[in-house]
Amino acid sequence: MSHETIAIIDFGSQYIQLIARRVREHKVYSEIVQPNISVAELAGHNLKGVILSGGPASVYAENAPRCDEKIFELGVPILGICYGMQIGSQILGADVKPAHSREYGRTGLHITETSDLLASLPEHTTVWMSHGDQVNDLSQDFISLARTDTCPYAAVRHRNRRFYGVQFHPEVTHTPHGLDILKNFLYDICGCAGDWQMSDFVEETVRNVREQVGDATVICGLSGGVDSAVTAALLHKAVGDQLVCIFVDNGLLRKNERQTVVSTFRNHFRINLRVVDWGEQFLARLAGVTDPQQKRKIIGAEFIEAFQSEADKIPNARFLAQGTLYPDVIESGHKDGNLAANIKLHHNVGGLPEQLGFDLVEPLRDLFKDEVRLVGEYLGLPADMVWRHPFPGPGLAVRIVGEITKERLAVLCEADHILIEEIRAANLYRRISQALAVLLPVGTVGVMGDERSYESVIAIRAVETTDFMTADFCYIPHEVLGRIASRIINEVRGVNRVVYDISSKPPATIEWE
């Protein structure tokens, strides 16, 4: 990677992806690496600085994660956050012990030294603490930059080495001036130019894909979602007619989904798109199945069969494109102890590479979701596609609680269409992270005209989230909810009741199944 890079050494922080995203928000490329990375490997990254992340361990505990101490001889600035501050301070001669008073949550910070790292910050501010240990005794080689009521060394710097440490978390929104601290580190201390931009990424990726693929054909499984759409558009820019996209119509799609994909990719981008009509087979296999996991397994297996039926007809196809994103790479590394190993294939197209013998092309594997959307905009994809809410691979099947039939699918498809139409009309779509309708296996009594009815219930769910790890339900105005419910009950045959799900994640998940 030719971009100037900030390497983030991951000591097990729950905020690790957030640190990486915050650095990139400042237009500086960041890369998460494991503590066992060698200094030689680090130095080969066009390295401008290193961030040592937080983590749950105690630095003095047996088997506590440690990094190569020679990174302090690289000559680049190092910022330690929480555990990262403790490990860096300990290596450079300070003493770390359990704190007399643990700090969790919002804490007042008093800044005593306002140069470089904490420049332009107010003397008193709020930070987010989460620690049971702290630096207990600084050697003469350190200067204290800030303190709290119970933590005398809440921010420090080394006199001779380019090491800075903060005991709090500048990456979280609960630290109001956290982004200023990171900006000071990146620009004033590391001297970054801020040259990480999507146009450069696209051009570099196009070159790499052309080199990898040569004159072979690349197959891309299109779902209509953001990741696969951007992958397809990026690959088409790179290899043109060597790209063949396969769209499997599983009969479990949103209303007009197939037409939208065909219109965008075949008609607008002139991409070679093959549509596999497999809806009847999916429905036949799902008949009588109510268990959510069983549904997913059946749909996954049937998808592979449908995909393979078309892939077999494509000559010279050596590569399969996947929309693997950086969080998939990171999570995979956490599981395997090796950051780059065994990317989770099920995120996009199941076990297709192994089953069909393709080599993988993963043009988005260095990007976070928000960056993928920026690439989509740069490549000219329609805004509705770029900013589309997440939609599960198994489609509406996992939003029908209970048995899936053609009739129940038709009910949910119409209800879902009305929901999305109304939140768009109310200008709420971009504020909501994900909105969905769920068909419940419950009949309730109602009155339709002058007669009693006994019909289905639709549950509406809409959440706000930044990372999909946690989520809050959305406060949708009552008049909008009223319009949604009224339209669904009046326009969708078989529904006489609409309810709104106001649970958060956790304890509830975003999807119902």
Side-chain angles (χ1 to χ4, degrees), residues 34-103:
Q34 297 292 289
N36 60 3
I37 190 170
S38 70
V39 167
E41 281 179 278
L42 269 180
H45 281 63
N46 190 15
L47 195 66
K48 297 291 285 186
V50 175
I51 294 177
L52 308 178
S53 85
S58 293
V59 295
Y60 48 79
E62 196 178 346
N63 299 324
R66 299 185 75 81
C67 55
D68 189 335
E69 296 186 7
K70 290 179 181 168
I71 66 165
F72 292 92
E73 297 167 17
L74 277 171
V76 299
I78 298 171
L79 172 64
I81 295 174
C82 199
Y83 180 91
M85 169 183 169
Q86 295 165 15
I87 195 80
S89 300
Q90 187 192 58
I91 288 169
L92 295 175
D95 183 40
V96 178
K97 286 186 177 171
H100 292 297
S101 176
R102 297 181 174 198
E103 288 181 305

Side-chain angles (χ1 to χ4, degrees), residues 303-379:
F303 177 85
I304 289 172
E305 196 173 323
F307 193 94
Q308 186 161 11
S309 74
E310 195 61 40
D312 287 345
K313 302 172 189 171
I314 300 169
N316 195 31
R318 276 188 45 221
F319 293 92
L320 177 75
Q322 279 197 178
T324 307
L325 304 191
Y326 199 37
D328 303 336
V329 179
I330 297 164
E331 287 170 24
S332 186
H334 275 280
K335 283 189 172 182
D336 302 314
N338 177 357
L339 191 65
N342 302 322
I343 305 310
K344 291 194 294 186
L345 303 175
H346 67 267
H347 270 264
N348 296 287
V349 284
L352 289 171
E354 295 166 3
Q355 296 218 2
L356 303 182
F358 290 119
D359 292 329
L360 277 182
V361 180
E362 298 173 308
L364 307 180
R365 60 175 286 129
D366 289 331
L367 300 187
F368 288 103
K369 190 78 166 194
D370 48 345
E371 294 171 319
V372 172
R373 296 190 197 278
L374 293 176
V375 171
E377 286 186 327
Y378 178 78
L379 293 171

Side-chain angles (χ1 to χ4, degrees), residues 5-162:
T5 299
I6 296 294
I8 302 165
I9 297 181
D10 181 13
F11 291 112
S13 171
Q14 62 179 320
Y15 301 126
I16 191 68
Q17 292 187 32
L18 195 53
I19 300 172
R21 284 180 60 190
R22 293 288 183 249
V23 172
R24 292 190 187 188
E25 284 167 11
H26 283 102
K27 300 194 182 318
V28 178
Y29 182 72
S30 61
E31 192 169 321
I32 297 168
V33 299
Q34 297 292 289
N36 60 3
I37 190 170
S38 70
V39 167
E41 281 179 278
L42 269 180
H45 281 63
N46 190 15
L47 195 66
K48 297 291 285 186
V50 175
I51 294 177
L52 308 178
S53 85
S58 293
V59 295
Y60 48 79
E62 196 178 346
N63 299 324
R66 299 185 75 81
C67 55
D68 189 335
E69 296 186 7
K70 290 179 181 168
I71 66 165
F72 292 92
E73 297 167 17
L74 277 171
V76 299
I78 298 171
L79 172 64
I81 295 174
C82 199
Y83 180 91
M85 169 183 169
Q86 295 165 15
I87 195 80
S89 300
Q90 187 192 58
I91 288 169
L92 295 175
D95 183 40
V96 178
K97 286 186 177 171
H100 292 297
S101 176
R102 297 181 174 198
E103 288 181 305
Y104 293 99
R106 288 183 176 85
T107 306
L109 183 77
H110 176 67
I111 295 173
T112 53
E113 169 72 59
T114 55
S115 62
D116 47 27
L117 187 67
L118 304 180
S120 304
L121 267 69
E123 189 177 332
H124 295 280
T125 185
T126 302
V127 295
W128 183 262
M129 287 284 196
S130 179
H131 68 100
D133 298 332
Q134 62 189 34
V135 175
N136 180 59
D137 185 32
L138 282 183
S139 70
Q140 292 301 308
D141 293 328
F142 282 91
I143 295 171
S144 176
L145 305 179
R147 57 179 167 78
T148 72
D149 288 345
T150 61
C151 181
Y153 310 119
V156 301
R157 71 175 169 87
H158 197 273
R159 289 180 189 276
N160 308 312
R161 307 286 186 112
R162 302 178 76 187

Side-chain angles (χ1 to χ4, degrees), residues 389 415-416 418-437 459-464 472-486 488 498-503:
H389 291 176
D416 171 84
I418 291 168
L419 167 66
I420 300 301
E421 205 169 62
E422 285 298 328
I423 63 172
R424 282 192 191 281
N427 205 26
L428 294 172
Y429 190 82
R430 289 279 288 272
R431 183 166 75 77
I432 296 169
S433 305
Q434 189 168 348
L436 56 132
I460 300 298
R461 181 128 169 85
V463 298
E464 290 177 335
D472 293 319
F473 70 89
C474 285
Y475 289 86
I476 296 178
H478 285 179
E479 61 270 21
V480 178
L481 284 174
R483 274 198 306 274
I484 293 167
S486 176
I488 290 174
V498 174
V499 297
Y500 188 55
D501 178 351
I502 60 167
S503 47

Side-chain angles (χ1 to χ4, degrees), residues 410-420 437 458 460 484 488 492 495:
V411 167
L412 181 59
C413 198
E414 287 301 322
D416 171 84
H417 183 68
I418 291 168
L419 167 66
I420 300 301
I458 289 284
I460 300 298
I484 293 167
I488 290 174
V492 183
V495 177

